[in-house]
Amino acid sequence: MRTASEIREEFLKYFAEKGHQRIRSGSLIPENDPTLLFTNAGMNQFKDVFLGLEKRNYQRAVSSQQCMRVSGKHNDLATVGRTARHHTFFEMLGNFSFGDYFKKEAIRYAWELCTQIYSIPADRLTITVYEQDDEAFQLWKDDIGIPLERIVRMGKEENFWSMGPTGPCGPCSELHYDMGASPAGHPHCTVECDCGRFVEIWNLVFMQFNRDVSQEKKLLAAPSIDTGMGLERLSCVLQGVSSNYDTDLFRPIINEVCQQIGVTYGQNEEKDISLRILADHSRACTFLINNGIAPGNEGRGYVLRKIMRRAIRHGKILGLQDPFVHTLTTLVAELMQDAYPKLLETREYVAKVVKQEEENFSTTLVHGTELLDELCHAKSENEILPGKDLFRLYDTYGFPFDLAKEMVSERGLRVDEEGFYAEMEKQRARARASWKGGEKKIKPIYTKLAQENLTTEFTGYAKTTKVSGRILAIVAGEKQSLKLTEGKTGQVIFDQTPFYARAGGQVADQGVLSNSTTEALVEDVHEPISGLRLHQVKVVRGSLQENDVVSMDISLTKRNHTSCNHTATHLLHAALREVLGEHVKQAGSLVDPNRVRFDFTHYTSVSSHELSQIEELVNRQIRKNIRIETETRDLDEATQEGAMALFSEKYQQQVRVVKIPGFSMELCGGTHATHTGSIALFKIIHEGSVSAGIRRLEALTGKHALDRFLDGEILIGRMSEELKVQRDDLFPTLEKLTHEMKKTTRQLAQLQLQLAQKESKTVLKEIHEIEGIQVIAKKVSNLDRTSLRQLADELKNQMSSGVVVLGTSADDKVNLTVTVTSDLTDRISAKDLIQEIAPLVNGGGGGKADIAEAGGKNPAGLDKALKRTYSVLEKLLAK
Ligand code: SER
């Protein structure tokens, strides 16, 4: 039997031999594409190449792309696990031609690979073509020789592929494999039936158009090919099994769970569904986290959290109580390591992130159950629990609806399922409206300029000043303009430039453009489309015109500081990996002339001891004054040698490698110091959390770090003066003072208690009786919240049966405490009582039946609140 790894490799090898460049999978986070939540097809990373906006030095490519599909017509999360072929995470094998070969070759390659290399019997394959695509029909019939009855014309629903509402699209032709029998028992199935007998394995898209926002289809400059074949489905066919879940991509995970819980797969459909969900979701979690996504409450993080929680929940259904999903992610990393070796590096980190979520979710289940109990409490048999409340439970607390439903029916109540789904739909609509993606939409004028091939040579790695640039185009507002006059701002494209465009976390260079009559400031530089470098300028004297030649000078001081800071991030990255472990990966950064901000994957806070180790390690490299080397290398060679690449970055095949010999090697397009010594000094000034599993460090270098050190010295000097001790005695003195303060606070508390006890004697004299119950409602002075509570307890003990309400006010604040002796709590609830009286002091609070507390902001209402106690109690007791 061929393993899935072998199947993947055979695909890549076949097309490589046909002159295709092997491209590694892009990230699951689509680069620069606001229309997509996750990468959902092999062609995503080539979108701009299809559109003619980006040029590559190859015209044929092949890849196996990691993909996620969690919503859409055919892929709802709820379907996963219930069918043989739905997944959240999957891999798409694809070959691509960018204006090179077209239909004929694409069809021949697909047929040869399927029938000759993979040895799929030709008569098990049926072909579909777009109903108007006579050319494809003829090719299958005459060139390949497929009998007419196995070529089916279909409509645009099935056989016209588009990436989204806009973007590249075209007619397609699909290869379907006949499984032999209809799982639904249909006697005469055709490819048009979706019972599962005919399985679509390969989609060949003949990319011909670009659909714009007005839905108009414009011909692409060069017709291209985009194909996609699901590795999971193909493995199912080639391994001779009937479900994707029976392939070696999923079965080891299913078997592992079966072993843990002692069940056999295939004996109970409900259990099998849970097992398949666990297998699918553990793969998705592993890949999502490996791509730098952390669980969160919106966007991609929310999807990850939802998938994780669904997995945890199904584990619980199977009887797994302790955190366990994280153990499956380790198994996934091992199973997929051939194609994704980095999974082994992040395996520990991924498991920790999942484990943390598993632990948090257990707490959620406890809280959610409490809340559900409350919701059910006041309802009588068969009453309906509103969908809104259940949705709040689901949305705010992450409490699974199916579990809530089950628990509600256990309590003899019913749920308003329709109302729940209506709320869910409203929320989905809100999420859709708020999902704007990571980047701004590209302006049409930029697209137009990119199509005109206005590329700029960047000289700024080596030559930073006195570069002469010729103006190729000017953009003012949303339009191209020939001239930019004095006082005006606009964007300018040059034939060459020393200005770095903001990228990879590094800010852009700033500087001046000048010639004998003109002076303009460059305030920012960015590249909305690869190769299209826009200088944001303000003309201060004269004017800029197309074809003008100007001298371009960047601000060297700012550049040097920024470069030093960029080199410092590389040192920091390597030091973090050395001190904290190999799981640390850069998740984002900001490098400007003043500071360094660095986000990275790590599951707990970094201790001060670790921070010192990291600082020391970085400073040691600085003191060694190592020469920094840069070179252009082949991407695969560089990564194999250990060069660090970023999660979501899209790399060309030729990449720039920045090396600090003996310490760090990263793929990086940024500018750097020539020697580590230029950084002078490195100091971390902040450590914190960005989201689950992502930490952030902020650091200073050079003069900024030195200034910080000098400020510290001044502070120490002032503290010595204030405390009148020598520098070395500062800490022992501080310890002594803190100790004394604690002692004094303790003594104060004791005194307050004594005071409370004394006061209780007076208070006890003011007992009222309502319906035979002893009640005290009294204002007391000079007590803090704790003492107030102590006094209330004291009184309660002395009364043996009764209700005590105490209030105190100081500095515009009011504290209220209510206690009820346990013999009365089923008639009077302290919590209900306080909720009636607290509004009179502009406050709110809560508690339990025997004790409740509230804070308020209106001391003037305290007397009234206390008085209200009696009437409230009268009402309560009269019931
Ligand atoms: N883009 C097409 C698909 O996703 C073929 O790769 O099916």
Side-chain angles (χ1 to χ4, degrees), residues 40-44 69 90 92-96 161-163 172 174 200 202-205 207 226-229:
N40 65 4
M43 55 74 66
N44 292 171
R69 289 187 184 176
F90 66 101
M92 192 181 274
L93 303 165
N95 57 295
F96 308 92
W161 195 88
S162 31
M163 185 179 156
C172 61
E174 294 171 347
E200 177 210 326
W202 202 345
N203 184 12
L204 317 179
V205 183
M207 285 291 191
D226 150 36
T227 86
M229 173 147 67

Side-chain angles (χ1 to χ4, degrees), residues 268-306:
N268 172 315
E269 182 55 11
E270 279 309 306
K271 284 202 167 88
D272 289 352
I273 291 174
S274 294
L275 287 164
R276 289 193 287 268
I277 289 176
L278 273 170
D280 174 276
H281 289 13
S282 55
R283 279 165 38 103
C285 295
T286 310
F287 276 84
L288 286 170
I289 302 170
N290 181 56
N291 274 272
I293 297 163
N297 291 330
E298 52 192 14
R300 300 181 178 114
Y302 183 60
V303 175
L304 169 60
R305 172 161 284 162
K306 211 156 64 174

